[in-house]
Short mmCIF file of all heavy atoms in Angstrom, two decimals:
data_model
loop_
_atom_site.label_atom_id
_atom_site.label_comp_id
_atom_site.label_asym_id
_atom_site.label_seq_id
_atom_site.Cartn_x
_atom_site.Cartn_y
_atom_site.Cartn_z
N LEU W 259 -2.59 -8.79 -0.65
CA LEU W 259 -3.63 -9.41 0.06
C LEU W 259 -4.91 -8.65 0.10
O LEU W 259 -6.02 -9.06 -0.17
CB LEU W 259 -3.31 -9.94 1.39
CG LEU W 259 -4.33 -10.43 2.34
CD1 LEU W 259 -4.86 -11.79 1.75
CD2 LEU W 259 -3.83 -10.66 3.78
N PHE W 260 -4.72 -7.40 0.56
CA PHE W 260 -5.94 -6.46 0.71
C PHE W 260 -6.62 -6.18 -0.66
O PHE W 260 -7.75 -6.20 -0.78
CB PHE W 260 -5.48 -5.18 1.36
CG PHE W 260 -6.54 -4.17 1.55
CD1 PHE W 260 -7.45 -4.29 2.53
CD2 PHE W 260 -6.71 -3.03 0.64
CE1 PHE W 260 -8.60 -3.45 2.56
CE2 PHE W 260 -7.62 -2.23 0.83
CZ PHE W 260 -8.66 -2.29 1.75
N LEU W 261 -5.72 -5.83 -1.61
CA LEU W 261 -6.32 -5.56 -3.00
C LEU W 261 -6.98 -6.67 -3.57
O LEU W 261 -8.03 -6.60 -4.20
CB LEU W 261 -5.10 -5.13 -3.94
CG LEU W 261 -4.50 -3.85 -3.71
CD1 LEU W 261 -3.30 -3.54 -4.65
CD2 LEU W 261 -5.44 -2.74 -3.95
N TYR W 262 -6.51 -7.93 -3.29
CA TYR W 262 -7.11 -9.19 -3.89
C TYR W 262 -8.44 -9.43 -3.09
O TYR W 262 -9.50 -9.59 -3.71
CB TYR W 262 -6.30 -10.40 -3.63
CG TYR W 262 -6.87 -11.62 -4.10
CD1 TYR W 262 -7.08 -11.96 -5.49
CD2 TYR W 262 -7.20 -12.62 -3.27
CE1 TYR W 262 -7.65 -13.05 -5.92
CE2 TYR W 262 -7.76 -13.80 -3.68
CZ TYR W 262 -8.00 -14.01 -5.07
OH TYR W 262 -8.58 -15.19 -5.47
N THR W 263 -8.51 -9.28 -1.73
CA THR W 263 -9.72 -9.42 -1.03
C THR W 263 -10.69 -8.44 -1.44
O THR W 263 -11.96 -8.74 -1.69
CB THR W 263 -9.42 -9.23 0.54
OG1 THR W 263 -8.41 -10.16 0.94
CG2 THR W 263 -10.80 -9.58 1.32
N ARG W 264 -10.33 -7.15 -1.58
CA ARG W 264 -11.25 -6.13 -2.09
C ARG W 264 -11.86 -6.46 -3.37
O ARG W 264 -13.01 -6.20 -3.69
CB ARG W 264 -10.56 -4.75 -2.08
CG ARG W 264 -11.48 -3.58 -2.29
CD ARG W 264 -10.70 -2.31 -2.35
NE ARG W 264 -9.87 -2.13 -3.57
CZ ARG W 264 -9.45 -1.07 -4.09
NH1 ARG W 264 -9.69 0.12 -3.37
NH2 ARG W 264 -8.59 -0.98 -5.19
N SER W 265 -11.06 -6.89 -4.31
CA SER W 265 -11.44 -7.12 -5.70
C SER W 265 -12.44 -8.32 -5.73
O SER W 265 -13.46 -8.38 -6.32
CB SER W 265 -10.27 -7.36 -6.61
OG SER W 265 -10.72 -7.66 -7.96
N MET W 266 -12.04 -9.34 -5.01
CA MET W 266 -12.92 -10.64 -4.89
C MET W 266 -14.33 -10.30 -4.37
O MET W 266 -15.25 -10.82 -4.91
CB MET W 266 -12.24 -11.70 -4.08
CG MET W 266 -11.26 -12.45 -4.74
SD MET W 266 -11.86 -13.69 -5.82
CE MET W 266 -12.32 -14.97 -4.57
N LEU W 267 -14.29 -9.53 -3.31
CA LEU W 267 -15.65 -9.18 -2.69
C LEU W 267 -16.35 -8.00 -3.40
O LEU W 267 -17.53 -7.82 -3.18
CB LEU W 267 -15.41 -8.73 -1.29
CG LEU W 267 -14.72 -9.91 -0.42
CD1 LEU W 267 -14.62 -9.39 1.07
CD2 LEU W 267 -15.57 -11.17 -0.45
N GLY W 268 -15.62 -7.26 -4.30
CA GLY W 268 -16.30 -6.15 -4.94
C GLY W 268 -16.65 -5.04 -4.03
O GLY W 268 -17.56 -4.29 -4.27
N ILE W 269 -15.99 -4.88 -2.97
CA ILE W 269 -16.31 -3.89 -2.03
C ILE W 269 -15.17 -2.66 -2.08
O ILE W 269 -13.97 -2.89 -2.11
CB ILE W 269 -16.31 -4.35 -0.53
CG1 ILE W 269 -17.33 -5.43 -0.37
CG2 ILE W 269 -16.46 -3.26 0.49
CD1 ILE W 269 -17.38 -6.17 0.94
N SER W 270 -15.75 -1.49 -2.22
CA SER W 270 -14.86 -0.24 -2.18
C SER W 270 -14.20 0.01 -0.85
O SER W 270 -14.72 -0.41 0.15
CB SER W 270 -15.64 0.89 -2.75
OG SER W 270 -16.68 1.31 -1.89
N SER W 271 -13.07 0.70 -0.91
CA SER W 271 -12.46 1.14 0.32
C SER W 271 -11.93 2.52 0.14
O SER W 271 -11.79 3.05 -0.92
CB SER W 271 -11.27 0.21 0.69
OG SER W 271 -10.34 0.29 -0.35
N LYS W 272 -11.53 3.27 1.30
CA LYS W 272 -11.16 4.57 1.26
C LYS W 272 -9.79 4.59 0.79
O LYS W 272 -8.91 3.65 1.01
CB LYS W 272 -11.23 5.13 2.75
CG LYS W 272 -12.65 5.27 3.12
CD LYS W 272 -12.67 5.91 4.61
CE LYS W 272 -14.12 6.03 5.19
NZ LYS W 272 -14.02 6.69 6.49
N LYS W 273 -9.37 5.74 -0.03
CA LYS W 273 -8.05 5.81 -0.57
C LYS W 273 -6.99 5.89 0.59
O LYS W 273 -5.88 5.44 0.33
CB LYS W 273 -7.92 6.96 -1.51
CG LYS W 273 -8.80 6.94 -2.72
CD LYS W 273 -8.73 8.11 -3.65
CE LYS W 273 -9.56 8.02 -4.90
NZ LYS W 273 -9.46 9.14 -5.79
N ILE W 274 -7.38 6.41 1.70
CA ILE W 274 -6.40 6.55 2.78
C ILE W 274 -6.04 5.26 3.33
O ILE W 274 -4.78 5.08 3.74
CB ILE W 274 -7.02 7.38 3.90
CG1 ILE W 274 -6.08 7.64 4.99
CG2 ILE W 274 -8.36 6.63 4.51
CD1 ILE W 274 -4.95 8.52 4.55
N VAL W 275 -6.82 4.23 3.18
CA VAL W 275 -6.54 2.87 3.67
C VAL W 275 -5.33 2.32 2.68
O VAL W 275 -4.42 1.81 3.09
CB VAL W 275 -7.70 1.90 3.67
CG1 VAL W 275 -7.27 0.44 3.85
CG2 VAL W 275 -8.73 2.41 4.62
N LEU W 276 -5.52 2.54 1.36
CA LEU W 276 -4.58 2.00 0.48
C LEU W 276 -3.21 2.85 0.70
O LEU W 276 -2.14 2.22 0.67
CB LEU W 276 -5.05 2.25 -0.97
CG LEU W 276 -6.12 1.37 -1.46
CD1 LEU W 276 -6.49 1.77 -2.90
CD2 LEU W 276 -5.50 -0.14 -1.61
N LEU W 277 -3.26 4.13 1.00
CA LEU W 277 -2.07 4.82 1.23
C LEU W 277 -1.38 4.36 2.41
O LEU W 277 -0.11 4.14 2.40
CB LEU W 277 -2.50 6.31 1.34
CG LEU W 277 -1.29 7.31 1.59
CD1 LEU W 277 -0.28 7.26 0.51
CD2 LEU W 277 -1.76 8.63 1.97
N LEU W 278 -2.03 4.06 3.52
CA LEU W 278 -1.47 3.49 4.77
C LEU W 278 -0.85 2.12 4.52
O LEU W 278 0.20 1.93 5.04
CB LEU W 278 -2.57 3.38 5.80
CG LEU W 278 -3.11 4.69 6.43
CD1 LEU W 278 -4.24 4.43 7.36
CD2 LEU W 278 -1.90 5.57 7.11
N LEU W 279 -1.54 1.30 3.63
CA LEU W 279 -0.94 0.00 3.48
C LEU W 279 0.26 -0.02 2.54
O LEU W 279 1.24 -0.79 2.76
CB LEU W 279 -1.92 -0.99 2.86
CG LEU W 279 -3.21 -1.19 3.77
CD1 LEU W 279 -4.14 -2.15 2.92
CD2 LEU W 279 -2.75 -1.92 5.05
N PHE W 280 0.34 0.89 1.63
CA PHE W 280 1.51 1.06 0.71
C PHE W 280 2.62 2.02 1.23
O PHE W 280 3.71 2.03 0.77
CB PHE W 280 1.07 1.54 -0.72
CG PHE W 280 0.53 0.39 -1.46
CD1 PHE W 280 -0.89 0.22 -1.67
CD2 PHE W 280 1.40 -0.36 -2.13
CE1 PHE W 280 -1.37 -0.83 -2.38
CE2 PHE W 280 0.91 -1.50 -3.01
CZ PHE W 280 -0.44 -1.64 -3.15
N LEU W 281 2.30 2.65 2.43
CA LEU W 281 3.29 3.68 2.96
C LEU W 281 4.49 3.01 3.34
O LEU W 281 5.68 3.49 3.09
CB LEU W 281 2.64 4.37 4.14
CG LEU W 281 3.42 5.57 4.76
CD1 LEU W 281 3.60 6.60 3.54
CD2 LEU W 281 2.68 6.22 5.78
N PRO W 282 4.59 1.89 3.98
CA PRO W 282 5.82 1.23 4.49
C PRO W 282 6.69 0.91 3.20
O PRO W 282 7.97 1.02 3.22
CB PRO W 282 5.41 -0.05 5.16
CG PRO W 282 4.03 0.25 5.73
CD PRO W 282 3.44 1.12 4.59
N LEU W 283 5.98 0.42 2.11
CA LEU W 283 6.76 0.19 0.93
C LEU W 283 7.53 1.36 0.30
O LEU W 283 8.58 1.38 -0.15
CB LEU W 283 5.84 -0.52 -0.07
CG LEU W 283 6.49 -0.95 -1.49
CD1 LEU W 283 7.49 -2.01 -1.24
CD2 LEU W 283 5.38 -1.40 -2.38
N ILE W 284 6.65 2.48 0.29
CA ILE W 284 7.21 3.78 -0.16
C ILE W 284 8.33 4.17 0.70
O ILE W 284 9.40 4.61 -0.05
CB ILE W 284 6.06 4.89 -0.18
CG1 ILE W 284 4.95 4.48 -1.20
CG2 ILE W 284 6.58 6.21 -0.52
CD1 ILE W 284 3.72 5.30 -1.12
N ILE W 285 8.26 4.24 1.90
CA ILE W 285 9.30 4.60 2.84
C ILE W 285 10.50 3.67 2.63
O ILE W 285 11.63 4.15 2.65
CB ILE W 285 8.84 4.59 4.28
CG1 ILE W 285 7.69 5.66 4.44
CG2 ILE W 285 10.01 4.89 5.24
CD1 ILE W 285 7.14 5.65 5.84
N CYS W 286 10.25 2.39 2.39
CA CYS W 286 11.32 1.46 2.16
C CYS W 286 12.19 1.87 1.00
O CYS W 286 13.44 1.84 1.02
CB CYS W 286 10.87 0.06 2.06
SG CYS W 286 12.02 -1.20 1.53
N PHE W 287 11.43 2.19 -0.22
CA PHE W 287 12.14 2.54 -1.40
C PHE W 287 13.00 3.89 -1.11
O PHE W 287 14.15 4.03 -1.63
CB PHE W 287 11.16 2.84 -2.54
CG PHE W 287 10.81 1.48 -3.22
CD1 PHE W 287 9.47 1.08 -3.24
CD2 PHE W 287 11.73 0.74 -3.91
CE1 PHE W 287 9.22 -0.12 -3.86
CE2 PHE W 287 11.50 -0.55 -4.41
CZ PHE W 287 10.19 -0.90 -4.41
N LEU W 288 12.41 4.78 -0.37
CA LEU W 288 13.08 6.13 -0.14
C LEU W 288 14.33 5.82 0.72
O LEU W 288 15.44 6.45 0.58
CB LEU W 288 12.10 7.07 0.64
CG LEU W 288 10.99 7.57 -0.19
CD1 LEU W 288 9.97 8.43 0.69
CD2 LEU W 288 11.42 8.52 -1.36
N GLY W 289 14.12 4.87 1.76
CA GLY W 289 15.36 4.55 2.65
C GLY W 289 16.45 3.86 1.80
O GLY W 289 17.66 4.12 1.95
N LEU W 290 16.07 2.91 0.87
CA LEU W 290 17.10 2.26 0.08
C LEU W 290 17.78 3.24 -0.82
O LEU W 290 19.01 3.20 -0.96
CB LEU W 290 16.38 1.17 -0.83
CG LEU W 290 15.90 -0.17 -0.25
CD1 LEU W 290 15.25 -1.03 -1.11
CD2 LEU W 290 17.25 -0.81 0.38
N SER W 291 16.99 4.19 -1.42
CA SER W 291 17.62 5.13 -2.25
C SER W 291 18.69 6.10 -1.50
O SER W 291 19.76 6.36 -1.95
CB SER W 291 16.51 6.09 -2.85
OG SER W 291 15.61 5.38 -3.57
N TYR W 292 18.20 6.45 -0.25
CA TYR W 292 19.11 7.22 0.61
C TYR W 292 20.38 6.50 0.92
O TYR W 292 21.54 7.06 0.89
CB TYR W 292 18.40 7.63 1.94
CG TYR W 292 19.28 8.29 2.87
CD1 TYR W 292 19.72 9.66 2.87
CD2 TYR W 292 19.82 7.64 3.90
CE1 TYR W 292 20.45 10.29 3.71
CE2 TYR W 292 20.62 8.19 4.92
CZ TYR W 292 20.96 9.55 4.77
OH TYR W 292 21.74 10.15 5.69
N LEU W 293 20.20 5.20 1.27
CA LEU W 293 21.46 4.39 1.70
C LEU W 293 22.32 4.24 0.52
O LEU W 293 23.63 4.16 0.70
CB LEU W 293 21.05 3.08 2.24
CG LEU W 293 20.43 3.16 3.68
CD1 LEU W 293 19.87 1.77 4.12
CD2 LEU W 293 21.37 3.66 4.75
N LEU W 294 21.76 4.01 -0.74
CA LEU W 294 22.57 3.87 -1.94
C LEU W 294 23.43 5.12 -2.21
O LEU W 294 24.56 5.06 -2.56
CB LEU W 294 21.67 3.55 -3.12
CG LEU W 294 21.28 2.12 -3.22
CD1 LEU W 294 20.15 1.93 -4.29
CD2 LEU W 294 22.42 1.22 -3.56
#
């Protein structure tokens, strides 16, 4: 949603924002890997 909104409006954002938004997904993959 955020990437689409940013692209539609053509407004740049800080890389830290993208990292924060994707961080839960990254941790999820790490958690799944650990449990497997």
Side-chain angles (χ1 to χ4, degrees):
L259 168 68
F260 177 78
L261 287 174
Y262 179 69
T263 303
R264 187 182 72 162
S265 181
M266 276 283 283
L267 300 180
I269 297 176
S270 60
S271 61
K272 295 179 180 178
K273 291 181 181 179
I274 187 65
V275 173
L276 285 176
L277 178 61
L278 288 173
L279 294 180
F280 278 98
L281 189 60
L283 183 64
I284 295 169
I285 295 174
C286 174
F287 278 119
L288 292 174
L290 283 174
S291 302
Y292 172 78
L293 289 173
L294 280 169

